[in-house]
Amino acid sequence: MTLWVPACVALTAILVGCTPREPVTDTTTSTTAPTPSTKAPATPAPAGKSILFISNANSPFWLAVKAGIEAGAAEFGVPARLELNNEGTVAGQQKLLEQALSQKDELLGVAISALRPDAQGVLDRLKQLKDAGVAVITVDSDCKPEYRQAFIGTNNTEAGVGLGKHAAELLPGGAKVCVFVGDKSAQNAKERQQGFEQGAGSKFSVLETYQDGVEPAKAKSNVETALQAHPDATLMVGLWSYNGPAIADVVQAQGKADKVQVICFDAEPGLLPKLESGQVKCTVVQRPYEFGRQGVKLLKALAAKDQATLDEMLKGKDVIDTGVVVVTQQSYPEFRKYLDEKGLKGS
Amino acid sequence: MSDAAARRRGGAAGVLSGLVRAREFGLVIAIGAVLLLLVSLGKTQVFFGAGNLESVLRQIALLGVFSLGEAVVIIAGGIDLSVGSLICFSGMGCALLLSHLAGDLDQTVPVPAWMVLTTLLATVALGALVGGFHTLLITRLRLPPFIATLSTLAGLRSGAELVTNSATVSVPYPNFTALAKGLTPLWFFIAAAVCVAVLMRATVTGRQIVALGGNEEAARLSGLKVNRLKLVAYGLSGALAGLGGVLYTAYLGQGDPRTGQAFELQAIAASVVGGCSLSGGQGTVAGTILGVTLLQVLLNGIGLVIHSNSTLWQGVVVGVVVVMAVAMNAARQRRIAAA
C-alpha cells in the first residue's frame, strides 16, 4: 500500500511535466508586477496598490481579457490581476468580492463581470468597496448602474442584432432556429437572444433554447437531441463561447452540414478552424482584450481622479462600448492577423 | 423470500418467479414504459432513428463506464464523490500527454496508434492511482469516504486548471476522437461491464466486496482483508473514471477543465436507480446498466417530447425517478425483512 504514495507523486509529476504544446498564460492568479512598458505611465500608481478583475465564470474567453489586463498593467504602470469565478455562480462572485473587501486597503480598483445585474449580495459588496474608496467598474456584463462607476463592454442586444441580420442575409427565406447557451437567464444570454430575434426578423422562429449549465459534454448532447427533436431546424445559434464549436462538431458528425447552418458568438480557439473552413458561417466577436486593457486604464484614472483621462475615455457617459466584429470565412484572415498581433489564441 | 430462494423452488415457474422478483425486473418494466410512452406520443421514428439511437447508446456508454465504478464503491459500503473531477483531471492529463507525444504532428491526420494506446493506458492508470490515494486516505488516515473523496472533488478540478492554466488542450486527431464516435464507446462500456460483472459475481474478491459493504466489522472479524478490498473498489472506480476521462476528451476533441461537473451525482443516481443501496452490500452490474439506460432514455425522451425548457424538465424528472427508485428499494427491503 505504501507504494501508492510515491507512485501518485511520480505520475502527478509526469502530468505536470507535460505542458500544453502551445503554452498559455496563467489566468488564475495573474500578474501582479508590471513588466517594463513601452509607453511611460501618465501618473504613477500608489505604491503597493493593485487592480482586481473578477470573471463571471471560467472560459477561454477570459484568456483574452487577461492578455488585455497584462498589457494594460504594463502600459499604465499598475499591477493588475484576474480572479476566475470557477464556480460560475453568484455565490462564487460574492465570495471573491468578500476577499477583495478584506484586502481593500491594497486595492486601487475592482472590475467585475456581473453574473446577474440585480444580485443584491454582489451589489452590497460593490457598494462597500466604493464606500471604502475603491474604484468599481463592470466589464463584459453590467449590473445596476448606481453600484458601479462605469461599464466597459459590448451592447449585447446590438451584437445580437448584428448576428440576426447576418442570419437574414445567409437565409433570406427565414429559418427555424435552435439556440444553445449555458444559462438562458443570464443577462448577456437574454440580450443576445433578444437582439438576434430582432435582427433576424419575423421569418425566423426559435423552436427551443437549450441550456447546458456550462458543461461541454452536455452542450454537445443538447445539439444531438435538438437535431432529432427538430428535424425542420435549419439554423443553430450558439450564444456562449463554447456553444459554437460544440454545435459545429455535432452537425458535421451527423452529416447535416449541408442542411443546417451554424452561427454563434465569440471565438474560442476551437472555433477558429471551423470558421476558417466555413463550417461555422459567422461569429460575432467582442473585444475582450480591450475590456482588460481599458479596464486597467479606467480604474487607474478613477482612483487617481485623473479627470483628463476620464473625459477622454468616457466622453461624459458612464459606458464604454468597445464594439463587436462580425467574422466570416471571408474576413477570417484579417481576424487571425489581429489575434496574432495581440498574441491571442481566441477572443 | 429472497430471489435465490425463489429460484431454488425449482422448475420454470421458480425461475420465472425469481426473474419477476429480481430488482432489475422493475427497471426493465420502467424502461419499457418510457419507450411505450414515446411510441404512443408518435416519437417512434425519431427515437428509433439511426442518428438518435446512436446518440442515446453513446450517452449510455459514456455515463455507464464511470457509473459501474461508482456502483462497486457503493456496494462496498463507500461513496466516491470525486468521479466528475477525476474525469476532468484525467481528461486533461490525457489531452496533455497525447499533445505532448504528438508534438508538432498535423492535428488533422491520425497519430501513430501507439500514442493513442499509451495515452489511454496511462490515463486509466492515473485514475487508478487516484483511487489508490482515496484508499490511503480512508484506511490510513481513517477519513470517512465522503470526506476523502470530497477533498479530491475540489482538489482535482483545481489541479486540472492549474496544470493547464485554465486553458483547453486541443487533441482533434481523427484516430483519437474516433474512440467516442459512432458506437465505439459502447464497446468500451460492454467490455468494462463484463469485467466488473465477472469480478463481482465470479470471483472471491467480488463476493468479499459485497460482504464488506453489508457489514464491515463482520467482514473484518471474518478475516477478510478489508483494506485490500477497499483498494480494489476505489482503484476500479478511479480506473473507470480515467477511462471516462479518455472517452469524454475524445468526444469533445479537447481536454476541457469545465468537463465533468456534477457527473458524480449522475453516477450515484444511476447506481441508486439501478438498485444499489447507499448503506452498502447491495447492487448488481445488471442493475446499474439498467439504471443508466433508464436515465438516458428518459433524458432523451424528454428532449424529444418537451419542446420548451426541456433541459429544465430533465432535472425535475431525474429527481423524481431517483426518489421513486430509492423508495421502492426501501419498500422491497422491508418486505424481505418481514418475510
Side-chain angles (χ1 to χ4, degrees):
Chain A
M1 178 85 75
T2 47
L3 285 174
W4 283 99
V5 177
C8 288
V9 172
L11 206 63
T12 307
I14 291 166
L15 177 65
V16 172
C18 295
T19 51
R21 201 169 58 172
E22 294 181 5
V24 291
T25 48
D26 175 16
T27 58
T28 46
T29 48
S30 62
T31 179
T32 51
T35 50
S37 170
T38 49
K39 294 179 189 172
T43 345
K49 291 209 171 190
S50 64
I51 283 170
L52 171 67
F53 282 69
I54 296 173
S55 76
N56 53 2
N58 182 1
S59 81
F61 172 86
W62 287 95
L63 289 170
V65 179
K66 181 179 178 291
I69 293 170
E70 288 180 338
E75 187 177 346
F76 306 113
V78 56
R81 71 181 196 278
L82 169 66
E83 289 285 355
L84 291 171
N85 175 23
N86 285 315
E87 291 178 25
T89 61
V90 170
Q93 284 199 319
Q94 210 164 302
K95 202 162 53 185
L96 290 170
L97 282 170
E98 279 162 11
Q99 285 172 15
L101 270 168
S102 68
Q103 303 160 11
K104 60 181 184 294
D105 295 338
E106 297 160 20
L107 289 174
L108 267 185
V110 169
I112 185 167
S113 170
L115 257 173
R116 297 277 187 285
D118 53 359
Q120 200 54 48
V122 167
L123 295 176
D124 288 344
R125 280 149 189 82
L126 291 179
K127 185 174 182 303
Q128 286 171 14
L129 282 166
K130 258 172 73 180
D131 292 346
V134 178
V136 173
I137 65 168
T138 46
V139 294
D140 177 43
S141 193
D142 201 5
C143 69
K144 284 183 177 173
E146 59 269 32
Y147 289 88
R148 48 73 172 159
Q149 289 159 280
F151 167 62
I152 301 177
T154 307
N155 183 324
N156 278 301
T157 309
E158 282 178 18
V161 169
L163 190 72
K165 284 182 175 165
H166 194 86
E169 284 172 24
L170 193 66
L171 299 163
K176 291 187 175 172
V177 185
C178 287
V179 178
F180 300 88
V181 67
D183 175 1
K184 66 181 178 185
S185 65
Q187 191 63 16
N188 68 350
K190 285 198 275 193
E191 289 171 359
R192 285 176 175 189
Q193 184 160 348
Q194 279 166 8
F196 168 78
E197 290 176 26
Q198 194 183 322
S202 58
K203 288 181 182 169
F204 288 75
S205 60
V206 174
L207 297 171
E208 189 168 3
T209 302
Y210 289 85
Q211 293 191 111
D212 53 58
V214 203
E215 165 55 58
K218 177 74 176 164
K220 280 187 88 167
S221 68
N222 275 348
V223 182
E224 290 172 359
T225 303
L227 286 173
Q228 302 305 325
H230 303 290
D232 49 345
T234 51
L235 182 65
M236 303 266 167
V237 181
L239 295 187
W240 281 8
S241 58
Y242 57 91
N243 290 121
I247 300 167
D249 272 346
V250 175
V251 168
Q252 186 76 15
Q254 298 209 354
K256 297 192 174 170
D258 54 340
K259 185 178 169 256
V260 179
Q261 309 288 344
V262 183
I263 59 176
C264 59
F265 287 88
D266 304 324
E268 278 206 3
L271 184 79
L272 301 181
K274 297 172 173 61
L275 204 53
E276 188 177 20
S277 67
Q279 245 180 291
V280 173
K281 295 300 171 194
C282 83
T283 185
V284 172
V285 181
Q286 305 179 86
R287 299 178 191 274
Y289 179 89
E290 289 303 321
F291 297 173
R293 184 184 157 276
Q294 294 194 34
V296 172
K297 184 179 179 182
L298 182 62
L299 282 169
K300 185 189 170 195
L302 284 167
K305 298 187 171 53
D306 176 356
Q307 200 54 46
T309 304
L310 292 175
D311 290 345
E312 174 214 328
M313 293 186 79
L314 294 169
K315 299 181 175 65
K317 301 178 193 164
D318 65 353
V319 172
I320 298 173
D321 187 347
T322 53
V324 293
V325 184
V326 178
V327 186
T328 61
Q329 190 179 19
Q330 288 71 38
S331 60
Y332 176 78
E334 195 186 334
F335 178 62
R336 180 82 242 187
K337 193 176 155 200
Y338 162 79
L339 293 179
D340 291 343
E341 277 172 9
K342 300 291 183 194
L344 302 174
K345 293 178 177 61
S347 182
Chain B
M1 184 186 298
S2 70
D3 304 340
R7 278 194 291 273
R8 275 197 302 272
R9 285 191 307 180
V15 171
L16 190 63
S17 168
L19 272 177
V20 172
R21 282 165 179 271
R23 61 170 71 87
E24 289 83 6
F25 186 73
L27 288 166
V28 174
I29 296 289
I31 294 166
V34 176
L35 293 177
L36 265 177
L37 188 66
L38 287 171
V39 170
S40 67
L41 291 171
K43 298 292 176 188
T44 316
Q45 276 194 319
V46 184
F47 183 84
F48 292 103
N52 190 61
L53 213 49
E54 184 182 297
S55 170
V56 174
L57 290 171
R58 183 166 49 239
Q59 294 306 326
I60 288 172
L62 289 171
L63 172 60
V65 161
F66 59 89
S67 294
L68 288 170
E70 185 72 66
V72 172
V73 169
I74 290 174
I75 292 168
I79 192 85
D80 189 348
L81 296 180
S82 73
V83 166
S85 294
L86 182 49
I87 285 172
C88 167
F89 184 75
S90 59
M92 293 306 294
C94 165
L96 282 173
L97 182 58
L98 184 57
S99 168
H100 185 75
L101 290 174
D104 291 327
L105 292 178
D106 184 353
Q107 292 196 329
T108 61
V109 299
V111 289
W114 69 265
M115 288 186 186
V116 175
L117 188 64
T118 304
T119 304
L120 192 150
L121 294 176
T123 309
V124 172
L126 176 67
L129 278 175
V130 173
F133 178 65
H134 288 148
T135 317
L136 271 181
L137 294 178
I138 292 163
T139 58
R140 295 297 164 94
L141 298 184
R142 308 267 179 206
L143 294 183
F146 186 92
I147 301 298
T149 56
L150 186 66
S151 67
T152 43
L153 178 149
L156 290 176
R157 185 170 297 279
S158 300
E161 302 226 13
L162 281 171
V163 169
T164 61
N165 297 321
S166 297
T168 54
V169 180
S170 190
V171 279
Y173 309 101
N175 57 338
F176 175 68
T177 54
L179 295 179
K181 286 223 166 87
L183 294 179
T184 310
L186 195 63
W187 299 117
F188 280 101
F189 178 44
I190 290 169
V194 168
C195 291
V196 177
V198 167
L199 170 77
M200 297 303 288
R201 288 188 70 93
T203 69
V204 173
T205 302
R207 305 312 299 169
Q208 289 178 342
I209 285 174
V210 177
L212 168 70
N215 187 330
E216 181 171 345
E217 197 50 35
R220 196 187 304 278
L221 292 172
S222 305
L224 300 188
K225 293 178 176 169
V226 168
N227 290 357
R228 191 182 70 85
L229 294 173
K230 287 184 178 175
L231 178 63
V232 173
Y234 284 96
L236 186 63
S237 177
L240 290 173
L243 178 58
V246 174
L247 294 178
Y248 275 101
T249 304
Y251 180 55
L252 298 171
Q254 62 180 13
D256 190 326
R258 295 164 293 194
T259 310
Q261 293 168 57
F263 278 17
E264 58 282 345
L265 300 182
Q266 293 182 31
I268 292 168
S271 306
V272 168
V273 169
C276 292
S277 166
L278 285 175
S279 49
Q282 284 182 37
T284 60
V285 170
T288 306
I289 293 170
L290 289 169
V292 169
T293 306
L294 176 60
L295 288 181
Q296 293 295 15
V297 168
L298 260 177
L299 291 176
N300 184 264
I302 292 166
L304 297 181
V305 172
I306 301 177
H307 288 169
S308 178
N309 288 329
S310 62
T311 39
L312 299 180
W313 280 109
Q314 286 174 339
V316 173
V317 173
V318 167
V320 170
V321 167
V322 170
V323 169
M324 283 173 62
V326 173
M328 286 166 72
N329 209 17
R332 183 177 176 279
Q333 287 194 25
R334 279 196 299 272
R335 277 203 312 276
I336 291 170

